[in-house]
Amino acid sequence: MSITILGIESSCDDTSAAVIKDGFLLSNLIANQSVHEKYGGVVPELASRAHQQNIIPVVHQALKNANVTKEDIDGIAFTRGPGLLGSLLVGTSFAKSFALAMDIPLIEVNHLQAHILVHFIKDLEKEKKLPAFPFLCLLVSGGHTQIVVVKSHKEMEIIGQTIDDAAGEAFDKCAKVIGLPYPGGPVIDKNAQQGNKFAFKFNRPRIKDLDYSFSGLKTSFLYYIRDHIKEDPNFIQENMMDLCASIQYTIIEILMDKLEKAIQQTGIKQIAVAGGVSANSGLRTALIERAAKNNWETFIPEFNFTTDNAAMIAITGYYKYMNKEFASQDVAPIARFAY
Ligand code: KG4
Ligand code: ZN
């Protein structure tokens, strides 16, 4: 029997819809919201309004691109959380109405679990090796930084996580300090490619076990810049590329050191990365280099599957559909959602 799932993602500032048939991706559409740029971060109220405007056209186009009609959809999966409540409400309400109107199962999805299961999306064009259980996943996004032992499609255990800011937040906040637009991660990445990563040295946090901390790094970056601007008002402009390369290098080294520790502790050598920060070219290179040295097998997502997308919601929904894990019509979104 063939199963077609429509996935809906609206947890933050991207409205996305995707269609997956038997694990193969047929379409994945993402509408970004540029309205937040001038505020230097996502404005929740504006995000939910934009989702409300985008959701129908995005779903319509995703069905069209997949060459399916709404009658072909067997189940609809949506992000229940974590995320911004107003944003989540738009996707949740849409999915409930769609399920009711089409008389198909409704499937709730945890956004974090979905970021990880992105590695199971199959491609019609090319053969892809899927990770085997258990594997480790470094999940690095704007809201989360975790090392997760993935035991099955539904069983995941966090063995390390940030005690304050997420890695994506560290990128975004440091970018803001040097006047770069939101989201700062991709801009730092681009600038870093022309800079010297050893030009400036920033202190790394000393946090126990496999946990992370990034708030101190942001503060020391802020003070470093402030002190140097006092001596030279053009300090940022004159050193932009080196500053980006150095702060990026520091964040990557912090991430990789704990990941390496987790690999030593668990003995698991299949390593995946996921989440928006896994788009970072420096992080990808660092992972590949350390993997070659240590004999790890790596799973690095395609760029369009790193940041928020509905393909990851649809694939998670597909596995839940196969397990008959359906939600009822009284399901409500939740801003904080554990595995
Ligand atoms: O996974 P995601 O789209 O949303 C959350 O669930 O949070 O991640 C967004 C985060 C932002 O902080 C953004 O700056 C960061 O991912 N990001 C990057 C890059 N692309 C996106 N950070 C570093 N380098 C990149 N190339
Ligand atoms: Zn995300």
Side-chain angles (χ1 to χ4, degrees):
M1 190 180 62
S2 195
I3 299 299
T4 305
I5 302 289
L6 172 64
I8 306 289
E9 156 62 27
S10 73
S11 66
C12 192
D13 60 339
D14 297 310
T15 320
S16 181
V19 179
I20 281 206
K21 185 176 182 181
D22 301 329
F24 288 93
L25 184 67
L26 300 188
S27 70
N28 182 35
L29 223 91
I30 305 172
N32 305 115
Q33 302 178 0
S34 53
V35 63
H36 308 286
E37 275 163 24
K38 59 176 179 282
Y39 300 101
V42 177
V43 184
E45 180 61 28
L46 296 180
S48 35
R49 283 186 223 175
H51 282 305
Q52 193 73 38
Q53 285 173 333
N54 293 342
I55 191 116
I56 303 274
V58 166
V59 169
H60 181 77
Q61 196 60 42
L63 294 176
K64 208 169 155 195
N65 290 4
N67 208 11
V68 297
T69 65
K70 45 187 195 312
E71 287 75 21
D72 295 323
I73 303 297
D74 297 300
I76 179 159
F78 69 98
T79 306
R80 186 178 176 200
L84 302 170
L85 212 53
S87 292
L88 291 165
L89 266 169
V90 178
T92 307
S93 308
F94 178 87
K96 283 189 189 186
S97 316
F98 192 94
L100 207 57
M102 303 308 294
D103 195 21
I104 55 169
L106 177 67
I107 308 159
E108 59 160 279
V109 168
N110 178 316
H111 180 88
L112 300 176
Q113 192 179 356
H115 264 303
I116 295 174
L117 293 188
V118 94
H119 291 284
F120 292 89
I121 296 172
K122 291 191 272 186
D123 194 328
L124 287 165
E125 315 274 291
K126 54 180 187 278
E127 208 123 345
K128 187 168 128 183
K129 189 168 184 222
L130 309 182
F133 302 114
F135 65 92
L136 281 185
C137 186
L138 175 68
L139 174 55
V140 269
S141 71
H144 296 83
T145 298
Q146 303 176 336
I147 302 175
V148 183
V149 180
V150 188
K151 299 173 184 175
S152 71
H153 291 117
K154 53 194 263 188
E155 210 187 335
M156 305 186 181
E157 184 194 350
I158 301 168
I159 56 170
Q161 61 186 323
T162 182
I163 58 166
D164 42 55
D165 289 352
E169 249 175 310
F171 270 105
D172 296 340
K173 286 180 177 174
C174 290
K176 200 170 177 179
V177 169
I178 49 178
L180 297 175
Y182 177 84
V187 193
I188 291 197
D189 189 357
K190 197 157 169 256
N191 288 346
Q193 288 166 29
Q194 297 166 54
N196 171 11
K197 63 186 180 185
F198 303 116
F200 303 102
K201 208 168 157 37
F202 303 107
N203 288 339
R204 304 203 197 154
R206 286 207 191 99
I207 304 294
K208 69 171 178 47
D209 303 327
L210 299 175
D211 287 338
Y212 290 110
S213 166
F214 288 102
S215 68
L217 178 64
K218 179 213 66 189
T219 311
S220 74
F221 186 69
L222 177 70
Y223 290 165
Y224 189 87
I225 300 288
R226 195 189 56 186
D227 293 348
H228 281 77
I229 286 180
K230 277 187 202 146
E231 289 160 24
D232 172 10
N234 295 323
F235 178 73
I236 296 177
Q237 289 74 8
E238 285 161 5
N239 297 284
M240 180 58 95
M241 305 304 164
D242 287 349
L243 283 169
C244 288
S246 303
I247 195 69
Q248 173 172 299
Y249 176 68
T250 311
I251 295 171
I252 293 170
E253 288 296 294
I254 294 170
L255 289 172
M256 290 306 301
D257 285 351
K258 288 290 172 94
L259 180 63
E260 193 156 347
K261 201 170 162 190
I263 295 165
Q264 279 161 7
Q265 276 184 20
T266 60
I268 299 171
K269 290 191 164 193
Q270 280 199 102
I271 315 301
V273 277
V277 180
S278 70
N280 186 269
S281 56
L283 178 64
R284 288 168 168 248
T285 307
L287 182 62
I288 292 166
E289 281 173 4
R290 289 204 196 197
K293 219 183 285 169
N294 297 295
N295 255 333
W296 310 333
E297 188 178 8
T298 54
F299 297 87
I300 299 175
E302 285 166 36
F303 282 108
N304 50 340
F305 295 154
T306 56
T307 46
D308 292 346
N309 65 86
M312 67 187 199
I313 307 303
I315 190 71
T316 310
Y318 171 72
Y319 285 110
K320 290 189 119 180
Y321 185 99
M322 299 313 268
N323 275 336
K324 297 197 167 34
E325 288 177 56
F326 302 139
S328 73
Q329 273 289 334
D330 56 14
V331 64
I334 28 186
R336 288 173 182 274
F337 197 177
Y339 288 104

